[in-house]
Structure formats: C-alpha cells, structure tokens
Amino acid sequence: MESGFSEEELNEFKIEALELLDLGEQGLLALDNQGSYRENFDAIFRAFHSIKGAAGMMELLDLQAHMHQLESILIRVKDAPTLPRHLADLFLRGIDGARLILEGQKIQFDFNTDPGHVAPMQTAPIADQAPVAASPVAAIVAEVAVAPTPETVAQANAKNEETMQDLRESSAVEFFAECDEINTRLAADFEILIKSGSSPEIIASIYRDIHSLKGGAFLMGFGDIGDFAHNLETCLDYLRETNVTPSGPLIDVLFKSNDLIERMLKAVQNQTHEDFKKEVHALVPLLSSLLIETPILSKITQGEPMSTSPADTEISDAPQQPVATNAAPPAAPAADVHSDGDKADAGNSTIRVPVGLLDKLMTLVGEMVLVRNQVIQYSNQSDDLDFLNLSQRLNVVTGEIQGEMMKTRMQPIGNILGKFQRVVRDLSRELKKKIDLQIEGSETELDKTLLEAVKDPLTHIIRNSCDHGVETPEVRRAAGKPEGGTIRVRAFHEGGQVIVEIADDGKGLHRDKLVAKALERNLISKEKAASMSDRDAMNLIFAAGFSTAAQITNVSGRGVGMDVVRSNIDRIGGTVELDSVQGKGTTIRLKIPLTLAIVPAMIIRSGEDRYAIPQIKLAELVRVEKGATDGQIEYLQGQPVFRLRGNLLPLLDLKKVLQFKDHDTKKFVENADAVNIIVLYSERQSFGLIVDEIQDTADIVVKPLTRFLKSLAVYSGATVLGDGSVALILDIAGIAAQNLSTSQSEDAAANHSARSNDGASAMEESQEFLLFRLNSPTKHAVFLGYVHRLEEFKRSAIEVSGAQRVVRYRDAILPIYSLNDVLKYESDSKNLNDIVPVIVTQKGSQYFGIEVNEILDVFETSADIDASISDREGLIGNIVSDNEVVVVVDPHHCVPQKRNVSVVPAVRQFEASAMGAPVAMHAQAQHQQAPQEGYGFSHSKRLLFAEDTAFFRKHVSGVLSRSGYEVTLARNGEEALAILENRGGNYFEAVLSDIEMPKMNGYELAASIRKDARFKHMKVIALTTKASPKDREKGLESGFSAYLEKLNAEELLNTLEALTPTSNKSAAIAEKAAV
Amino acid sequence: MSSINSPTAKAESSKQYATFLIDDRLYGIDVMEVQEVTQALMPTTIRLAPDYVKGLINLRGQIVTAVGLRELFGLPKSVDAQSHASVVCRIDGNLFSLLVDRIGDVVEVSPRDFEATPSTIDNGLGKFMSGVYKTAGSILSVLNIASISTELNAK
C-alpha cells in the first residue's frame, strides 16, 4: 500500500518541519546568549512538539519518535533555572539529527543525557535511494532508545496542556486560513463530482484535502474533527484505490460530511462549543455502510482505530493517538520524499510570505521603475556607450522584475467563484428552486487584495439572484420558461479591468414595484418618482435601506445588500452596472480595476503642466497640420470637430476641460502650426482631446490622489515622471462624463455606475437620436442612424434649381429641404441665421439635406417611441426624455413623394445591386418615390425580421406590415434561428436580417440557414448599413440572397416583391409605402 | 530637531511642538505627528482643485499633497509673505505638506500653560485649533491634524 500522501504534502510538511527546527535552534542559541529561559524554552518546546505531531500525522514514524525523545528530555528541565550545557548540545545535535531524518537518512541517535557523555550519531545514508520501506517501520522505532507508548505521550501531553494552548493560539489563525482554502477547493470538487460524475482525479483531490484537514485538526488538538475527517478519509481512500464510482446516496453523505466538518471547524473557531456528536454518529455508520453496500470491503472497520465507536471519538484531545496505532499499516512514509534525488530539493519550491512583505516589495518595485525611468532619460542625453548599454540592461531587468512581481499577487478568481456552486446549491434547495450556476473564466487573475474585496459583494449578488431573480419552477413554467433557472457568472479581462458579470434569467426588475417601494420607504420624492427614467428606477436597488423582496426571507431582503455591494465595489475603485429586462432577467456587471498596476501611459503637455493618459484608453494620435488639405478642425455650433476617415469626431480641448484662463480653442487652432489630437475611447463614444504636445510614452506607477481630491473627476491619480516631477493622470472616463454627456443630471454619478454600454441587452434597447430645434417650442430629433453628416452652409450658398433649393456639396448637388416647411411649422423670418445647419442624410444612393434651426445634441435613450400622437405627416412619434417630450421626425418624409414611378421590381436588377454594382433604380428613385399603388402583396406573406435596434425593428416592420406583410420579429440571430426552427421551413417566405447583432450576427444567421436543408428555399435578405462592396461580397458568401441598405424602403419592397413573387396583386396597399 | 528623540525627565508631563510662523504668528503641531520639515518644493499644480491645494510634490518618490495653510485658514494673502517651508505630516495614511511662511523651533510646553482656544478666534481658524499654550514671549496656537484632515475631506 502506498502512503497516502502526495509529494506536495510531504514537501509542505518538510518545509514546515525545517522552519520549526530552525526556530528550535534559534531558541537554543538564544539561551546560550542569556536569553529569557521561559520564553525560549517555550519556543523550543513548541517546535519539537509541533514536529512530533505533524510527523505522526504524516506517518513519518522515525521522525516522530526522535522528536518525542527530545521533547521528553526537554520537559524534564521545564522548571530549571537554566538549560544545562550538555543538554543544549544534545538538543542541537538532536535538531541536526532531525534534519538528517528529514533528508531521508537513517540515523542512530544517542539520547544519553549524562553530562560529559559525548554522543555519537551515526548516519546511515541510503546509498541507492531505495525506499526506506525495505526496512520495516517497527524496526526503526525499535532502534530508538525508548519507543513511545501512548501512556507516556498522554502524560507529556497533559503536563503541557498550557504549552499546547500557546501553540494552538499561535498557529490557529494559520490553520483556519488553510481550512478555508481547503473548504473552497472541496466545495468546487464536490460540485464537479455532482455535475460530471466521479473521476479518479476528483476523488484523489478530495481525499488529499480531507487528509490535510485531518492532519491539521489533530495537530491543533481538535480530535473530534480529526476523527471524523479520518472516517471520511478512509471512505475516500477506498474509492480512490478501487476506482469505484460513488453512488448517489454516497455522494450525498460525502457532501453532508464535508459540510459537517466545515461547521465543526466554524464552531471551534468561534468557540461556540456546539455538540456535533449526534451528527457525527449519524454520519459515520452511513459512510461505512454505503461503502460496503457499493460492493465489498470491511476494510473501514478493520484495524482502523478511529472508526465508528463512540468511545474513540470521545478521546478527542489526544492528538498523539496515531503513534500507537499507525504502526499497524505497513506504510513507508519517508520513501516518497526521497525516492528521487531531485525531490529532496523540491522541498524548497514554495515558501510562505506575509502579504505585507509583498506589498512593500511591490512599492519598492514601483520606486525602482521610477528610478529606471530617470536613468533611461539621463542615458538618452549621454554619449557614453557603456552607460547606454548598462541602462538598457537595467531597463530589461526592471521590466522583468516588475512583471514577475505582479504575478506574485495574482490569484485566479476561480478561488472565490468555486464557493458559489455550493451557495447556489444550498439556496436552491432552501428556496425550492432549480438553479444552475455556470461559471466562465474562473482562470481570470486578479490581485489578491481585490479578490478579497469582491468576495462579499459577489456572494451578495448571487444570493440575491437566487432569492429575488430566479423564480420558482411553477412560476417559470407559467411564464413559458424552462423550470430550471440559470445564473451565469462570467469573469474576463477587458480594457485593463476585470469584469465579472452575473446574469440570471429570472423575472428581472419591475420598475413600478421598485418605484413604489422607494416611495414607501421615503427614499425618493413623488415628483422624482414620476419623472424617473427606467435606468434611474433600476438604480434604486442600490439605495441604502432598499429591499425588493415582498417577504423578508432569511436569504436576503434585510434591506442591506445592494447598497453594500455598491459601496464595497466603489471602495476599490470599481463600478457596478445593472441591466434588467422585466421577465427576462437581470445582469449585473462589476468592473474591477487593476489599480495596483504599473501602467503604460502617454505623457502629454498642456500649458506648462504634463499629464499622463493610460494607453489603454488611447486609440490613435492625429496631427493636424496648418493648411493641410486632408482635413482641418471644423466647428459645429462652436464646438470643434474633426473628420476622422469620414466620421465626425467630437473634440475636447484639454485646456478648456482644465479651465485655463482666457483660452480660446479657435484662436489656438488658428495660431498653431499643428494641432495634436489624441483619439480616446470613452465609455460611450470616442472623442479627440486637443493637447499642446505629445511627449513620450512611459510606464507609470499609479499613485492615488488623497481622498478629498478624488472628487475631481478629471484625474484618476498621480505619478512621478522620469525627471522626478509629478504628473497627474487624466481620467478619460471622467472627462468624457463631465464634458460629453448631453444632459447632466445632478445624480450623474449614480447614473454613471449603472450605465451599461456594451452589455448585450443595452445594445438591443437603447438608441441614439440627434436633437435639433425647429420653429416649435418642442425639441425634435431624428434617429442618429439616419444622419450621414452634419454640415453648416452659408445662406447665400443655397441656390435654387427650379423650385428646389440646392447647395453645391462635394462636387454634387445637394437638395435642401426645410423641415419647418415640411412639417408646416410657421416660419419665423426674422430669425434667419446666416449659417444654415443641415443634416445630411441618405435615401437610396442620393444624399439630401434637411435644414433645421439649430442642432442641439446627441442623446441616447432606451425609452420607446410613443407613436399614438403624430398629428402630422412625417412625425414618427414622441419620446419622453429628461422630463421633456421630444418629437421624432422621419427625415425621409421630407423628400416629396411623387407618383410617376415606373415599377422596376426586376430580380436581375436586384442581383446587380447585390453584386455591388450601382443600381439603376436608385438613380431613378431619387425623386420617383415608391408609388402608393403598384405593388401588390398578398396578406399571407410572412417574413421574419432579425434586428437588434428597437428603432429599426419598429420602423421596418411598420413599413412591411403597412405593405401587407406579416412580420415576426427577432432581436438577434440566435432568436431568429430559434423562431425559424420552431415554425418550420415553409412558414416564412423570407428572412430579413441585420448584420451587426449580438449573440449571432447576420452572417452567422445566413450561414446557419443555408446549412439547414429544411430552409433550402428560404430567401435571406441582409438589411444593413454596412454596404461596402466587400461587405456585400461577404454577405453573399454567407448565403444572403440579397444585400440591401437599411434605410431604403422602396428598394426593400421591390426586392421582396421580386424575390417572393405573388400571382395576384392584392389590395393591401401601403398607406405610406415609401418612407 | 535632535531633542525629539532625547527623552527628558519631564517627557511624561510636557509636550513638544514643532512650530512655524504664518504672518509672524506662531503655530505648533505635535512633533509626533510631524514626519519632517523641508524647504517648500515647486509643486505640480492641480487644476480645478480648491485654492488651498497647492499641488503635488515628489518627496523621495512619495507623492505629497501640498496644502497652503494660509489659504486653508482663510488668512489674507500678503504680497511679501511667501510660503518658504513645508511641514510634512501623515494624515490618514496620506502625506501632506503644509506650506507655511517660516519654520520655528521645537518648543517644549507644560500642560500648566494650556488653555482652550479663546472664543474670539474666528471659527475659520478656530476649528483647526485644539487650544493654545502660553509660552515666554508669545502664544502658541496648537493645530489639530485630525481636524485638518476632517475639514479637507468635508470640503
């Protein structure tokens, strides 16, 4: 039989034993130097005693015996005034001897305590590294002067109860910490066991942990825990050796046992003196009986001392018991450690280091990086080649040290996520729900301190999801969901942050309930409640003293919770975002920064100050030279913008942001030879930052600003630069939030943390609109997707062609329509500005301009468009945003609709368009809008339309249904495919799909449909804004039958007609067919 | 400064204060709370920060926030008086450099000479004071580091 210890465990023991021996030695030497007798005696005694105990546990009997001898001699002089010289020598030799034993040597040690006796110590090195097992353990024990008996041990033990107490206290903390780790691992292992069945690795892993637990418990004198763990271990050992797959009931018992151990430990730790005997007695027989049931084996009850008899379990405070009994199994403990020459060294492969020391080291490395930076800067001015070489090497080495140093503190987040399997399992039982916890990315590493800090918030969120999120099976069934709920925890790195996402598919948050509850608890005023956006309402859950559970359960709902989560995450500089769709579930994202990090940054200058910008936020650098023809900074409503590859990039002037006195961006731009723009990513959009000079890149050590300066949102910290001066680090997100957002509400900060920008659900629901003013008190808006460009023309530049106002624009004629005229708002002739703001939009391939009074802003909303009031042609409906109503305009309605169109619904033509060739129809369609009559559609034509943007979903389906199609909507490819499979191959005539969608994009959808034989005849049409020839090609490759631009309604209708021909032209006619 | 570490017979009852002057008025901070006294270094200004925040300085690799006591106390700006020296204290784990006009001696005072802050002292300054000591030739205003920290964070 092989010894039950892994190499790792033996190594760990060895390290610990060597440390203890060193301590003992130090104590002895201190005594020699007139150190305090009492103190040092205790230290030596503790060392000897601990080694003895641990050696017994590890079944290293010779070492145990050796240490026992030393201990017994030592105890005799406990009350002596000093340690006799000859005894000190003996102990020192004894320590050397113990070291030799640890190294796998067999020694003969003389314990003669007579003064003047010079003791020989013979070592018998094992020549061929053959396992010590060759010689029976009993023989080794016999070689030692007096073999210890249980009685002597017990006596010694009793005498030293006091000392034991000290020992316990000092190492208890460590022991419990280790138990925590073990329990975490165990929980994870058990979960795997339940989920994916037994495997030798899992059993072995559980076995190992239980074993170390047993050892620790005995060592600490927690005999009953040790005994019970031993029972469990025996059972596992059997499973491990026989490879028997444990039966369901057995797993359950294992689970319960593990749980019991955990509780026993807790009780000991908190000194609650609970009595677990009953439970122990209930479980122990179960453990063995189930095993026997499985098939055979009486092994557990045979010759195993600490099995089921109650008498045994009661001798709880006799940790040395194994001494008497462990002689029985013919184990060869030392063999494992020394069977291989290399392994002797492996004992030094890990050490325990206090976290404080690592912190200190980290700080020092930070300092070193700074010095390195200064040296490099200095060396750049030097011509001394040797110095350059040296500084180069310093650079490389420092970089490596920095990298390795960071690693010492990183731990996989799985260490805490693993625990949640257990939490969810227990909760789902308690709450009678079926909940499956899926964990992804448990290998994602995070700094240990941060890991500790997110543990509680995470637990809270998961408990909340179980309790409030996921519904009971009955409710779920009634709602048409699968009975079992899912909680998905996903951890990943993104943009220098670790993101932990907890998503449940439960009932989601109910806005009205939240608001009502908040009112009831006086958290908000009535006025506020009425005007609250959905997002603000969701945010109420983070308010202190808020609990949504209708009934207070003991799982959650005590009114502390989410506010604590938020403040905990805030404290480590992270953010919490919440997204919830009623009936669909809730997603909470924790963004946890890597604040300790040394980050690469760009150093820039503005005025006389230098600032650092984390490179992670940096997209590109743009230098706009004076007089360059390829692009200049332009002004839109006085705000600088830049056309970056055809897209408008809003610009911020850092000097304006930092409120430099008398700074005028326009003047500055005009006077500068070149303007440096740093293109940055912020949470919502990219923007450009105008700076005076771009200096350098450097690794900077982020140092936090003192607390009262943290309210300055534009800075995220400070750093020391290469020349020793201090630079502030710009907080890009903070700058964006302060300067970019449209409507800054008072609780912008609250909004900030609840925002979700890239969450899938947010993508589906929120839309951006361009806000502008007309001759009307109400603000108007168009969907931003319609806006191609924003331009300003001089009124004098507008010419007239026939009755049509036009302007020369990019070598072409741009027709201009005044939205005031179209919407029949009274014109206000005295207010005619010299500058005409124009929204350039595209219809088909034709651009046209819409004149408005003033362009205000872009805003984002998740609110639905209320289409019930649209008293004029061209209005789509209203949105309520920030306490005001915004009228949404259909820009394409501006273009006058004529009826003299010849219908050209030819497939051939369509194919031409699909191939990327210009389509004749477009040109014709310019002013020849789709006819009111002319297309006929049968009522029965069913379409499936996949589109993630709510606006387009509504809009396009409106167009289609008005034209007589029956449209089924899907929000992404995955959903579309599911619907398709549900309805079968012949239900829909065609599938329309957007390209960019979450979960499954258009290409994937088309490919999936094409793959399926059932949908062989299905027409799949891409409806997209991605309309480059390359995109088309890709689309056609993926299996799209056609590739259309999103905003071209008549082309869509033509194509549909062409692809799904009908024999009879029905009377179902579009009321506003052409949009 | 060597007297800081040399325990005197009176150490039990008397207290030592690091003193400094602003507008020729004497202020003191308990020496145990003072890390060091330095020349005022050229700070990196923090734009948008309150006026009493003079900036950040690099003190041997540590970033220290410089606070102008004159501005913090709401004392009138005087043309000739420049903050020439800095008293570096650690408050709540953060290092602060308190900018003052001039550094004085370390003064040893006995509790007998202590009195509460007279009520005529304007609260703008009084809230930072924990009392006064009557010393030979002048009166020492004792600054309370904790209340400076509280005030800074409250603002």
Side-chain angles (χ1 to χ4, degrees):
Chain A
M1 178 178 138
E2 174 197 306
S3 115
F5 301 96
S6 72
E7 199 179 299
E8 203 182 309
E9 284 161 331
L10 281 168
N11 276 333
E12 217 154 88
F13 163 73
K14 233 177 103 176
I15 293 164
E16 214 156 340
L18 284 173
E19 277 174 14
L20 287 167
L21 286 173
D22 285 346
L23 280 179
E25 194 171 59
Q26 275 164 27
L28 285 165
L29 295 174
L31 277 183
D32 251 353
N33 281 330
Q34 272 81 46
S36 147
Y37 184 73
R38 187 73 248 162
E39 230 175 86
N40 287 303
F41 177 89
D42 285 353
I44 301 163
F45 183 83
R46 264 202 298 277
F48 286 180
H49 186 84
S50 307
I51 299 171
K52 181 183 79 172
M57 273 252 331
M58 300 299 292
E59 298 168 12
L60 299 173
L61 300 184
D62 40 358
L63 181 61
Q64 185 193 25
H66 181 79
M67 294 319 292
H68 175 75
Q69 278 308 108
L70 290 178
E71 191 188 343
S72 334
I73 298 169
L74 183 63
I75 203 73
R76 282 185 231 150
V77 290
K78 186 184 174 202
D79 296 319
T82 56
L83 187 67
R85 195 54 183 256
H86 69 279
L87 281 184
D89 289 344
L90 171 72
F91 289 135
L92 284 172
R93 273 193 300 113
I95 287 173
D96 293 341
R99 288 200 180 113
L100 289 174
I101 298 173
L102 273 172
E103 277 180 47
Q105 301 197 20
K106 228 164 54 165
I107 60 164
Q108 288 188 328
F109 196 82
D110 190 333
F111 286 101
N112 193 327
T113 58
D114 284 344
H117 174 89
V118 179
M121 180 170 72
Q122 290 159 14
T123 63
I126 299 155
D128 55 355
Q129 302 286 353
V132 189
S135 67
V137 176
I140 302 176
V141 178
E143 277 170 36
V144 182
V146 190
T149 64
E151 287 77 22
T152 55
V153 173
Q155 274 165 16
N157 210 34
K159 266 190 218 161
N160 298 298
E161 192 50 44
E162 209 180 303
T163 326
M164 275 299 293
Q165 201 57 43
D166 290 352
L167 165 73
R168 278 181 217 165
E169 272 162 26
S170 63
S171 44
V173 178
E174 214 167 296
F175 170 66
F176 286 122
E178 205 168 301
C179 286
D180 263 2
E181 279 169 34
I182 289 175
N183 281 329
T184 312
R185 267 200 307 273
L186 278 174
D189 285 344
F190 270 116
E191 204 51 45
I192 299 174
L193 193 66
I194 287 162
K195 279 204 169 157
S196 24
S198 162
S199 70
E201 294 80 37
I202 284 297
I203 295 289
S205 164
I206 295 175
Y207 172 81
R208 270 198 303 276
D209 280 329
I210 293 290
H211 182 85
S212 354
L213 231 165
K214 174 187 89 171
F218 276 132
L219 183 62
M220 296 303 301
F222 309 135
D224 37 3
I225 300 179
D227 284 344
F228 184 66
H230 177 81
N231 277 302
L232 191 53
E233 184 193 337
T234 317
C235 174
L236 288 162
D237 189 31
Y238 166 68
L239 289 175
R240 193 174 64 126
E241 279 181 8
T242 53
N243 267 336
V244 169
T245 310
S247 58
L250 180 57
I251 291 184
D252 234 44
V253 173
L254 289 178
F255 216 112
K256 274 186 194 149
S257 307
N258 182 41
D259 185 48
L260 179 60
I261 291 186
E262 218 175 315
R263 280 186 295 127
M264 284 166 104
L265 280 168
K266 274 266 151 55
V268 174
Q269 193 173 1
N270 302 329
Q271 307 194 323
T272 48
H273 301 294
E274 275 174 71
D275 190 8
F276 293 104
K277 278 208 185 78
K278 254 194 201 150
E279 282 173 85
V280 170
H281 288 183
L283 278 173
V284 166
L286 267 178
L287 272 176
S288 28
S289 66
L290 277 166
L291 263 190
I292 294 161
E293 225 171 76
T294 329
I296 24 152
L297 226 81
S298 50
K299 181 177 165 189
I300 301 146
T301 43
Q302 268 181 17
E304 293 291 340
M306 285 161 290
S307 60
T308 59
S309 100
D312 271 349
T313 40
E314 263 149 37
I315 317 171
S316 54
D317 255 51
Q320 273 66 44
Q321 211 177 4
V323 178
T325 51
N326 269 341
D336 255 23
V337 192
H338 315 289
S339 56
D340 190 313
D342 293 343
K343 284 178 189 164
D345 294 334
N348 294 322
S349 62
T350 59
I351 58 168
R352 284 177 189 224
V353 180
V355 175
L357 179 60
L358 287 182
D359 286 345
K360 188 90 205 283
L361 275 173
M362 191 65 213
T363 317
L364 288 173
V365 169
E367 301 298 327
M368 191 159 121
V369 168
L370 292 176
V371 175
R372 187 264 318 256
N373 291 352
Q374 294 184 26
V375 170
I376 299 265
Q377 197 159 66
Y378 187 65
S379 74
N380 287 340
Q381 301 157 7
S382 161
D383 293 331
D384 187 340
L385 269 183
D386 287 342
F387 178 49
L388 280 175
N389 263 334
L390 280 174
S391 63
Q392 217 38 54
R393 264 169 58 199
L394 176 70
N395 186 13
V396 172
V397 172
T398 313
E400 275 179 32
I401 290 180
Q402 181 190 329
E404 298 301 311
M405 194 61 222
M406 303 289 284
K407 281 190 212 154
T408 60
R409 302 183 45 91
M410 301 301 262
Q411 290 195 329
I413 198 165
N415 283 5
I416 57 169
L417 293 185
K419 276 222 153 138
F420 296 141
Q421 292 288 8
R422 183 62 191 279
V423 171
V424 170
R425 186 191 142 99
D426 288 356
L427 279 181
S428 50
R429 281 197 175 175
E430 193 176 319
L431 299 164
K432 300 197 175 53
K433 294 178 180 178
K434 287 185 187 164
I435 307 173
D436 180 34
L437 179 68
Q438 294 173 1
I439 294 178
E440 281 173 45
S442 43
E443 72 286 347
T444 311
E445 288 199 322
L446 193 59
D447 187 276
K448 184 174 159 59
T449 44
L450 292 173
L451 202 63
E452 288 296 318
V454 297
K455 190 167 146 189
D456 285 350
L458 270 177
T459 314
H460 222 106
I461 293 172
I462 286 179
R463 292 176 75 94
N464 250 325
S465 287
C466 292
D467 195 20
H468 305 316
V470 177
E471 313 91 326
T472 54
E474 301 80 56
V475 175
R476 290 183 68 90
R477 217 179 306 129
K481 295 190 197 180
E483 278 188 20
T486 308
I487 299 176
R488 211 160 53 94
V489 179
R490 213 153 63 91
F492 54 99
H493 281 285
E494 190 185 275
Q497 292 178 313
V498 170
I499 304 204
V500 186
E501 197 178 80
I502 305 98
D504 67 53
D505 62 350
K507 59 177 177 268
L509 295 175
H510 193 292
R511 186 212 144 103
D512 296 343
K513 271 190 199 159
L514 285 168
V515 173
K517 196 74 156 195
L519 275 174
E520 186 191 311
R521 307 242 153 137
N522 269 335
L523 295 170
I524 50 167
S525 66
K526 271 209 176 96
E527 295 73 43
K528 189 140 187 229
S531 66
M532 243 180 182
S533 72
D534 279 3
R535 187 140 284 170
D536 288 344
M538 299 291 178
N539 251 338
L540 285 171
I541 199 167
F542 291 114
F546 193 91
S547 176
T548 49
Q551 244 186 351
I552 289 177
T553 64
N554 61 16
V555 177
S556 55
R558 290 190 200 91
V560 288
M562 293 309 274
D563 58 323
V564 177
V565 167
R566 166 114 110 195
S567 59
N568 281 352
I569 297 294
D570 275 356
R571 200 170 304 144
I572 54 168
T575 58
V576 188
E577 292 173 353
L578 183 140
D579 246 298
S580 183
V581 181
Q582 204 185 319
K584 291 278 166 62
T586 306
T587 301
I588 294 176
R589 310 180 108 221
L590 305 182
K591 291 194 174 179
I592 306 152
L594 301 166
T595 44
L596 290 155
I598 296 171
V599 296
M602 174 74 62
I603 311 295
I604 56 108
R605 183 177 63 83
S606 209
E608 288 180 357
D609 305 330
R610 283 187 292 169
Y611 298 94
I613 296 174
Q615 290 212 341
I616 212 139
K617 301 280 185 190
L618 205 134
E620 59 185 302
L621 304 172
V622 177
R623 185 180 163 88
V624 184
E625 306 224 349
K626 198 175 192 173
T629 49
D630 55 344
Q632 284 297 318
I633 291 171
E634 298 163 71
Y635 297 90
L636 173 71
Q637 306 300 319
Q639 296 302 321
V641 292
F642 182 75
R643 294 185 203 190
L644 184 65
R645 291 183 287 278
N647 293 318
L648 278 191
L649 179 74
L651 298 182
L652 288 176
D653 187 341
L654 185 57
K655 281 189 171 165
K656 277 266 178 242
V657 171
L658 298 176
Q659 296 172 10
F660 275 65
K661 266 187 199 152
D662 307 321
H663 178 75
D664 186 80
T665 308
K666 212 160 184 169
K667 257 188 216 150
F668 168 78
V669 169
E670 274 163 17
N671 293 333
D673 289 339
V675 178
N676 290 303
I677 300 172
I678 300 179
V679 184
L680 299 161
Y681 299 117
S682 84
E683 293 198 19
R684 322 228 97 187
Q685 62 182 118
S686 342
F687 66 96
L689 195 64
I690 300 177
V691 301
D692 286 3
E693 190 190 341
I694 292 164
Q695 290 196 325
D696 203 358
T697 58
D699 282 349
I700 57 168
V701 182
V702 180
K703 308 228 169 174
L705 288 176
T706 115
R707 190 146 54 107
F708 70 93
L709 290 175
K710 281 186 181 148
S711 54
L712 299 175
V714 295
Y715 308 119
S716 62
T719 189
V720 178
L721 294 180
D723 61 0
S725 65
V726 180
L728 287 154
I729 302 165
L730 295 179
D731 183 341
I732 301 308
I735 291 177
Q738 229 174 43
N739 298 278
L740 285 182
S741 60
T742 55
S743 49
Q744 284 225 323
S745 56
E746 323 88 288
D747 43 8
N751 272 336
H752 179 68
S753 52
R755 263 178 212 159
S756 173
N757 322 298
D758 36 6
S761 50
M763 260 168 65
E764 286 167 19
E765 297 308 333
S766 72
Q767 302 134 43
E768 285 182 310
F769 292 86
L770 180 74
L771 212 56
F772 52 85
R773 197 183 302 284
L774 294 173
N775 287 333
S776 156
T778 322
K779 285 179 187 167
H780 287 61
V782 292
F783 182 63
L784 196 60
Y786 280 138
V787 179
H788 187 70
R789 279 171 196 286
L790 299 176
E791 299 286 354
E792 286 176 317
F793 297 112
K794 286 214 171 89
R795 194 164 289 281
S796 54
I798 299 178
E799 294 160 74
V800 179
S801 153
Q804 178 62 53
R805 298 197 303 154
V806 296
V807 70
R808 270 173 278 180
Y809 177 63
R810 299 170 138 209
D811 307 326
I813 301 285
L814 183 73
I816 302 282
Y817 301 93
S818 164
L819 200 52
N820 281 319
D821 294 349
V822 173
L823 297 176
K824 303 189 179 70
Y825 287 136
E826 278 178 34
S827 65
D828 186 358
S829 52
K830 56 183 185 260
N831 239 352
L832 285 178
N833 275 331
D834 214 25
I835 298 294
V836 182
V838 168
I839 302 166
V840 180
T841 167
Q842 192 179 14
K843 184 165 181 178
S845 61
Q846 171 68 26
Y847 292 103
F848 59 98
I850 299 169
E851 177 189 342
V852 298
N853 293 20
E854 185 189 355
I855 288 167
L856 296 170
D857 225 327
V858 170
F859 79 103
E860 186 175 348
T861 179
S862 54
D864 275 342
I865 300 174
D866 178 355
S868 55
I869 311 160
S870 67
D871 61 340
R872 285 161 209 255
E873 296 269 305
L875 299 187
I876 293 176
N878 303 299
I879 319 177
V880 181
S881 116
D882 293 330
N883 316 336
E884 62 180 334
V885 173
V886 174
V887 181
V888 182
V889 178
D890 173 5
H892 288 184
H893 184 79
C894 293
V895 188
Q897 309 192 357
K898 295 176 184 171
R899 289 174 162 241
N900 56 348
V901 187
S902 59
V903 185
V904 276
V907 180
R908 189 167 302 155
Q909 206 162 22
F910 156 70
E911 277 168 357
S913 110
M915 294 311 289
V919 182
M921 192 179 75
H922 286 165
Q924 291 168 10
Q926 179 182 334
H927 292 294
Q928 306 166 347
Q929 289 312 306
Q932 302 276 325
E933 293 124 282
Y935 301 117
F937 302 110
S938 97
H939 266 296
S940 58
K941 276 193 179 175
R942 298 191 193 94
L943 301 176
L944 176 62
F945 178 37
E947 164 70 60
D948 58 326
T949 315
F951 176 81
F952 280 120
R953 266 205 310 274
K954 280 208 173 132
H955 189 78
V956 174
S957 66
V959 168
L960 291 171
S961 56
R962 282 195 294 268
S963 305
Y965 289 100
E966 195 183 317
V967 186
T968 305
L969 295 172
R971 284 178 308 173
N972 54 54
E974 213 172 88
E975 228 174 84
L977 206 60
I979 294 172
L980 212 52
E981 268 165 11
N982 213 359
R983 295 292 168 93
N986 297 321
Y987 187 81
F988 294 108
E989 296 273 346
V991 179
L992 302 177
S993 171
D994 186 21
I995 293 299
E996 292 301 326
M997 291 185 291
K999 291 194 179 140
M1000 180 189 274
N1001 69 27
Y1003 297 132
E1004 289 162 0
L1005 172 64
S1008 306
I1009 293 175
R1010 282 289 158 260
K1011 257 189 272 165
D1012 198 318
R1014 282 176 296 170
F1015 309 130
K1016 211 164 58 191
H1017 306 295
M1018 188 72 70
K1019 301 279 186 289
V1020 189
I1021 301 168
L1023 212 54
T1024 173
T1025 44
K1026 282 180 96 177
S1028 76
K1030 215 169 158 192
D1031 291 327
R1032 282 177 192 279
E1033 207 175 295
K1034 187 170 175 203
L1036 294 173
E1037 268 171 28
S1038 310
F1040 280 113
S1041 330
Y1043 202 93
L1044 305 180
E1045 279 174 62
K1046 216 177 239 178
L1047 299 172
N1048 196 332
E1050 68 265 44
E1051 190 192 29
L1052 168 63
L1053 293 175
N1054 281 335
T1055 307
L1056 275 174
E1057 174 72 353
L1059 285 177
T1060 58
T1062 20
S1063 46
N1064 67 324
K1065 301 205 166 184
S1066 112
I1069 283 167
E1071 298 153 26
K1072 302 180 195 174
V1075 188
Chain B
M1 295 283 282
S2 62
S3 58
I4 295 176
N5 295 324
S6 61
T8 60
K10 286 192 285 178
E12 293 292 329
S13 55
S14 69
K15 276 190 146 179
Q16 290 183 318
Y17 287 91
T19 65
F20 50 86
L21 294 111
I22 304 171
D23 278 351
D24 291 323
R25 291 181 198 155
L26 191 65
Y27 297 87
I29 294 176
D30 190 337
V31 285
M32 299 314 287
E33 295 182 290
V34 176
Q35 177 176 314
E36 62 187 289
V37 171
T38 64
Q39 287 261 302
L41 299 162
M42 195 55 192
T44 300
T45 46
I46 308 174
R47 296 197 154 265
L48 312 183
D51 68 333
Y52 53 81
V53 177
K54 290 306 194 184
L56 301 172
I57 42 182
N58 170 14
L59 187 71
R60 297 185 301 277
Q62 304 259 51
I63 292 182
V64 181
T65 311
V67 173
L69 284 188
R70 176 186 292 279
E71 289 79 1
L72 186 66
F73 294 165
L75 301 176
K77 278 187 186 164
S78 75
V79 192
D80 50 308
Q82 268 281 319
S83 300
H84 291 296
S86 111
V87 180
V88 180
C89 304
R90 184 174 288 276
I91 308 177
D92 287 351
N94 290 311
L95 281 176
F96 285 87
S97 151
L98 305 175
L99 299 180
V100 300
D101 291 358
R102 255 181 323 123
I103 290 294
D105 295 326
V106 172
V107 173
E108 193 161 337
V109 292
S110 98
R112 276 195 319 266
D113 299 325
F114 183 80
E115 270 185 47
T117 311
S119 52
T120 49
I121 303 295
D122 175 46
N123 194 41
L125 174 56
K127 62 187 170 194
F128 299 113
M129 287 172 56
S130 52
V132 296
Y133 281 100
K134 297 159 287 182
T135 63
S138 80
I139 297 176
L140 172 70
S141 303
V142 175
L143 295 183
N144 182 352
I145 289 292
S147 65
I148 291 181
S149 156
T150 319
E151 274 301 312
L152 286 176
N153 286 318
K155 282 194 181 181

